Amino acid sequence: MKLTDNVLRSFRVAKVFRENSDKINCFDFSPNGETRVQLFLLPPGRPKRTLYSKKYGVDLIRYTHAANTVVYSSNKIDDTIRYLSLHDNKYIRYFPGHTKRVVALSMSPVDDTFISGSLDKTIRLWDLRSPNCQGLMHLQGKPVCSFDPEGLIFAAGVNSEMVKLYDLRSFDKGPFATFKMQYDRTCEWTGLKFSNDGKLILISTNGGFIRLIDAFKGAVLHTFGGYNNSKAVTLEASFTPDSQFIMIGSEDGKIHVWNGESGMKVAVLDGKHTGPITCLQFNPKFMTFASACSNMAFWLPTIDD
């Protein structure tokens, strides 16, 4: 099935998980699309099992290339990043270095490299095989960062006003491109993602808009708004896997979808969420997506287009 405006409008909640009472901080699909970090198996969608990290807490979490291991940042005790085996719930390695909360975490799509950005105004480059930081960049403000889909470059959003592109092989020489955006004092950037075709970058904010920019020229292609975020919540925005559509949840529990080429809003989906939708991702392999507040909802299309 191909994603079209009509198919997206037809998505309905197929299953809701209400095991949680607190806000879900983060979730991630495995690269093969078959499991999600809270480990609901797809399909049929029953909770597979629960892994606890009560001591350290879990804030951001990302699958590695092995479907049974993850890296995650903590929200208690310290700001060390942890590498965890889901198979036996044991830590493989610790990555110490950040001195404040980690606010960005991105796994390379091609190898064991990952990057992290922190409120300590640094971006660190890591290799899963070593506890030592492989590279360190000092910035002027809070960073957001992400790898491109080929794992050759990464983008860093700095001070909520510029995007810097770095070649992974020579990042210590500085950015090879810098795109300056219009600064908006009403909000700050909370996320940065590449589309799967590598042509677009999506910038999330804790305000009432998100921006789509050209990954090669830095030009703002569209600014998407018209959704509720009056309390400056960090809402996750995502591309669909075909890079054609952009989605974001809102504080009133609805999901807004735009066509990335035309900039037109194509759907507003109501999942009956009880709070702000802080997590939203499309499955990389299957025609389904998940959204979360304190509940987790899985969505399926109801028409063939």
Side-chain angles (χ1 to χ4, degrees), residues 17-91:
F17 296 97
R18 296 185 172 88
E19 284 83 2
N20 299 300
S21 56
D22 297 326
K23 177 179 83 76
I24 294 173
N25 290 335
C26 187
F27 65 78
D28 194 30
F29 285 106
S30 61
N32 63 11
E34 291 182 357
T35 52
R36 193 184 49 72
V37 161
Q38 279 191 297
L39 292 194
F40 297 117
L41 196 59
L42 298 179
R46 290 188 300 275
K48 196 174 175 188
R49 58 199 171 106
T50 302
L51 300 171
Y52 292 102
S53 180
K54 290 182 177 178
K55 180 180 177 183
Y56 302 114
V58 180
D59 199 7
L60 300 176
I61 193 160
R62 301 287 181 259
Y63 266 102
T64 68
H65 299 289
N68 62 349
T69 61
V70 295
V71 290
Y72 74 89
S73 64
S74 301
N75 54 14
K76 300 176 187 175
I77 297 185
D78 62 27
D79 301 289
T80 296
I81 296 167
R82 290 169 172 83
Y83 181 21
L84 176 69
S85 166
L86 300 177
H87 170 67
D88 51 11
N89 202 24
K90 290 184 177 170
Y91 293 108

Side-chain angles (χ1 to χ4, degrees), residues 25-292:
N25 290 335
C26 187
F27 65 78
D28 194 30
F29 285 106
S30 61
N32 63 11
E34 291 182 357
T35 52
R36 193 184 49 72
V37 161
Q38 279 191 297
L39 292 194
F40 297 117
L41 196 59
L42 298 179
R46 290 188 300 275
K48 196 174 175 188
R49 58 199 171 106
T50 302
L51 300 171
Y52 292 102
S53 180
K54 290 182 177 178
K55 180 180 177 183
Y56 302 114
V58 180
D59 199 7
L60 300 176
I61 193 160
R62 301 287 181 259
Y63 266 102
T64 68
H65 299 289
N68 62 349
T69 61
V70 295
V71 290
Y72 74 89
S73 64
S74 301
N75 54 14
K76 300 176 187 175
I77 297 185
D78 62 27
D79 301 289
T80 296
I81 296 167
R82 290 169 172 83
Y83 181 21
L84 176 69
S85 166
L86 300 177
H87 170 67
D88 51 11
N89 202 24
K90 290 184 177 170
Y91 293 108
I92 302 169
R93 192 160 288 116
Y94 299 89
F95 303 97
H98 284 302
T99 57
K100 290 187 178 178
R101 187 165 70 92
V102 173
V103 292
L105 192 60
S106 178
M107 191 77 214
S108 166
V110 297
D111 59 24
D112 287 336
T113 307
F114 69 97
I115 52 175
S116 57
S118 164
L119 294 178
D120 62 16
K121 300 180 182 178
T122 66
I123 288 176
R124 289 176 180 263
L125 182 68
W126 309 89
D127 188 304
L128 286 175
R129 297 163 293 188
S130 168
N132 302 318
C133 175
Q134 307 292 302
L136 174 63
M137 296 165 44
H138 291 276
L139 306 169
Q140 297 300 309
K142 172 189 170 183
V144 290
C145 55
S146 181
F147 277 102
D148 83 320
E150 295 181 339
L152 298 174
I153 66 171
F154 65 88
V158 186
N159 282 354
S160 299
E161 63 179 346
M162 65 183 76
V163 175
K164 296 173 179 279
L165 300 182
Y166 295 84
D167 187 313
L168 192 61
R169 295 156 296 188
S170 57
F171 70 91
D172 53 330
K173 296 189 172 79
F176 65 84
T178 299
F179 308 139
K180 196 154 177 21
M181 310 277 135
Q182 183 178 353
Y183 181 68
D184 190 314
R185 64 180 64 250
T186 65
C187 62
E188 64 178 10
W189 295 359
T190 55
L192 185 151
K193 291 182 180 180
F194 279 90
S195 57
N196 277 343
D197 61 11
K199 296 177 181 177
L200 305 168
I201 294 174
L202 181 60
I203 298 170
S204 309
T205 75
N206 63 358
F209 68 91
I210 53 178
R211 283 208 176 105
L212 187 68
I213 69 170
D214 184 303
F216 301 106
K217 300 174 183 173
V220 176
L221 303 175
H222 298 291
T223 299
F224 303 118
Y227 59 92
N228 293 336
N229 191 15
S230 62
K231 295 174 183 163
V233 177
T234 296
L235 305 170
E236 182 176 21
S238 292
F239 288 101
T240 52
D242 61 4
S243 307
Q244 301 302 307
F245 298 93
I246 289 91
M247 314 169 70
I248 192 169
S250 63
E251 69 181 7
D252 61 4
K254 293 184 172 64
I255 293 170
H256 298 249
V257 187
W258 295 269
N259 183 303
E261 187 171 358
S262 69
M264 300 295 291
K265 187 175 287 188
V266 299
V268 179
L269 306 171
D270 190 353
K272 302 292 190 292
H273 278 285
T274 55
I277 298 175
T278 49
C279 306
L280 178 67
Q281 285 185 35
F282 218 98
N283 189 300
K285 299 294 184 185
F286 300 105
M287 188 65 79
T288 179
F289 68 85
S291 57

